[in-house]
Amino acid sequence: MVALSLALNVLAAAGPLGEQPPAQAQPAPDLVLRCAKVLTMDAQDRVFSPGMVAISDGKIAWVGPCRELPAEVRVIDAPESWASPGMIDLHSHVQTGSWGDINDMVLPTNAELRASAGYVPSNRLVRQALAGGVTTLFGIPGSGTSISGFGLLYKTRDDSDYAGTVIADPGGMKVAQSHNPERRGGDLGLTRAGLYWILQREVARARALNELGESDPRLAGLQAVLRGELPVLIHCAGNDGAEKTVRMWRIENSTRSVLSHGSFDGWHVAKFVADAGMPVNHGPRTMNWILGYAEGRIVGTAAAYVAAGVPDFSLNTDAGVIPQEELFLQGSMSARLGADAYQMLKAVTIHPARAFGIDDRIGSLEPGKDADVVLFRGDPLDPRSCVDLVLIEGTIEYDRRRDGQRF
C-alpha cells in the first residue's frame, strides 16, 4: 500500500532511531533477523530501515538498526522482508477447527461455560491463521445468549498442546448484547429491553456477592470481570446496541470492556463511545454497505470510529465468518475505505493487545516481549505481500519455503 509505505519511509528518516543494541559484553542472542524494515509498533512508532530483531530465550532481546554481529550468532537475512509483530484477533471461533464451538441456547445466560472445553490446539484453521501472520487469538463461545461464557487466549503454534499454546484460560468473558441473542417465545429475551434486564440482573447478583466477599461457582467469572480482573468482549451491532453496551459495561459498571462488531450504523454513536473511553473491536463488516444504498454513499466505518477518537481501535474477522488468515485484509479494506493505513496495522497488533491488557507480552517488537514476529514480503497490509516466516516465542512455526504456501 502506497500510503503505508510512504508513511514508514518518513518515519524511518525522521531522526534518531530507537534504542542501541546491548553492549558486546552481554551474551550473544540466539537468533537475529535482518530485514529491509522493522515495524516495532511501539509507543514511539519506531521503524528501522533496514533493521534487526534479536531474540534470546523466546523473548525479544533488542531491536534496532543493522550492526556488526559476532560470527557465531545465527542470522536470518531477509533483505526483501518487513518484520512486524504477530497479528492478534480478539473475536474468533476457530479454536475447535470447525463450527463446533460452544453456543448453548437453552438458558439466556451461561456465565459458567468455557470455550476451552472444545479447544483443539493446532487444528487446521489455526494452522491457516498462522500462515497468514496471526499469532494470538481470543477463542470465544457463540453469541446465541446474553452471557455466552468465557473464552481463552492462545497462540497459533503449528504443532503443540494446550500447555504449549494457551496464554490465559479464562482470557475474558463473552457477552452478546444485541443482534443474535434475541429469543423467540414468551420470555424476557424477546426484546432488547428484556435482554438488558436479564444482563443487569446477573450483574447485580455478581456485584452483591463481591460486596459480601462470597463466591458463586456459576458467577465466579462474572465476579472477576466486575473486579477488573478479566476483560469482557461485548457482541453488538447498530447504534442502539453500541450505545447500550457502552452505557452498561463502561459507564455504569466500569469494567475492562471492549465493544465488538459495532457494525451497520453503529458508527453513528462513535463519539459517545470515544467519550466513554471504550475500545472498539470492529468487524467482520467494516463498511456501511446496507445503509449506503439509502444514503447514496459507502461509509468506511473503521475510519469513522478512529476519527471520533475511539481508543485502541482494533479489527476482527469473527472467524470463520471471514477466514482467520485474512485478518490483514480487514486492515487493507479499511484503509481502502479511508482509514489511515498505519493505524490499521496497529488495529491488528498493539491495539487489541492494549485493549485486553496483554500488551506487556505481545503486540509490539520491544525488548522483553514474546518474540512473535512475522516476516512479510513487503507491506503487511498489501494483499500482494506473502508471509515468508512466522516465529512464535522465538521458534519458527511457519516457513513458506519449508512448509509450502498454505493459502
Side-chain angles (χ1 to χ4, degrees), residues 5-340:
S5 301
L6 290 176
L8 295 180
N9 286 330
V10 169
L11 283 168
L17 290 178
E19 55 201 84
Q20 295 300 311
Q24 290 288 342
Q26 294 189 2
D30 303 327
L31 174 66
V32 172
L33 307 175
R34 186 157 47 203
C35 310
K37 287 187 190 292
V38 176
L39 317 177
T40 67
M41 313 311 292
D42 66 5
Q44 292 76 40
D45 290 321
R46 288 178 292 187
V47 176
F48 302 96
S49 180
M52 287 180 167
V53 181
I55 298 167
S56 293
D57 296 325
K59 302 289 185 180
I60 295 172
W62 53 266
V63 183
C66 291
R67 61 181 284 258
E68 292 295 323
L69 296 168
E72 68 272 16
V73 173
R74 181 188 174 200
V75 179
I76 294 179
D77 273 309
E80 298 178 348
S81 296
W82 296 24
S84 167
M87 295 187 192
I88 303 163
D89 194 338
L90 297 180
H91 196 130
S92 174
H93 300 280
V94 302
Q95 66 270 8
T96 67
S98 68
W99 283 96
D101 65 332
I102 294 173
N103 195 22
D104 194 302
M105 298 175 67
V106 177
L107 300 174
T109 60
N110 299 281
E112 71 281 9
L113 296 183
R114 300 290 185 272
S116 54
Y119 176 46
V120 179
S122 306
N123 68 62
R124 178 182 60 86
L125 298 179
V126 167
R127 293 174 74 244
Q128 286 284 97
L130 172 69
V134 181
T135 56
T136 303
L137 295 172
F138 182 46
I140 52 178
S143 308
T145 59
S146 295
I147 296 181
S148 309
F150 285 78
L152 73 162
L153 283 161
Y154 65 98
K155 298 285 185 78
T156 59
R157 287 188 179 277
D158 185 62
D159 184 16
S160 191
D161 56 12
Y162 178 96
T165 57
V166 173
I167 299 174
D169 180 17
M173 187 171 76
K174 163 71 179 300
V175 164
Q177 191 102 355
S178 66
H179 290 80
N180 268 36
E182 290 85 345
R183 301 161 65 86
R184 293 183 176 87
D187 69 14
L188 284 170
L190 180 64
T191 66
R192 297 279 177 82
L195 290 172
Y196 189 80
W197 186 88
I198 289 169
L199 282 169
Q200 286 285 49
R201 180 187 61 178
E202 293 295 89
V203 168
R205 287 173 174 172
R207 188 191 298 113
L209 288 168
N210 282 347
E211 291 171 354
L212 292 171
E214 299 177 1
S215 180
D216 180 336
R218 190 181 73 83
L219 295 175
L222 177 54
Q223 290 181 251
V225 168
L226 293 173
R227 290 193 299 265
E229 297 167 4
L230 287 173
V232 54
L233 185 82
I234 306 102
H235 160 126
C236 69
N239 62 69
D240 57 337
E243 186 274 337
K244 294 290 191 301
T245 290
V246 173
R247 190 174 299 282
M248 179 176 181
W249 294 100
R250 178 61 57 140
I251 297 174
E252 296 175 359
N253 289 292
S254 300
T255 59
R256 192 198 305 167
S257 45
V258 179
L259 187 157
S260 193
H261 298 321
S263 305
F264 306 127
D265 63 344
W267 63 277
H268 281 295
V269 295
K271 185 63 166 60
F272 175 75
V273 177
D275 289 346
M278 188 162 184
V280 172
N281 178 238
H282 191 43
R285 298 172 182 84
T286 56
M287 63 179 179
N288 176 16
W289 61 273
I290 294 177
L291 298 179
Y293 286 113
E295 297 179 12
R297 61 181 179 140
I298 298 296
V299 175
T301 46
Y305 278 113
V306 173
V310 168
D312 294 328
F313 175 86
S314 62
L315 293 165
N316 73 63
T317 59
D318 198 1
V321 176
I322 289 175
Q324 188 62 76
E325 62 269 22
E326 294 182 7
L327 176 59
F328 80 94
L329 193 57
Q330 294 291 78
S332 304
M333 292 307 299
S334 294
R336 167 68 175 80
L337 294 170
D340 177 78

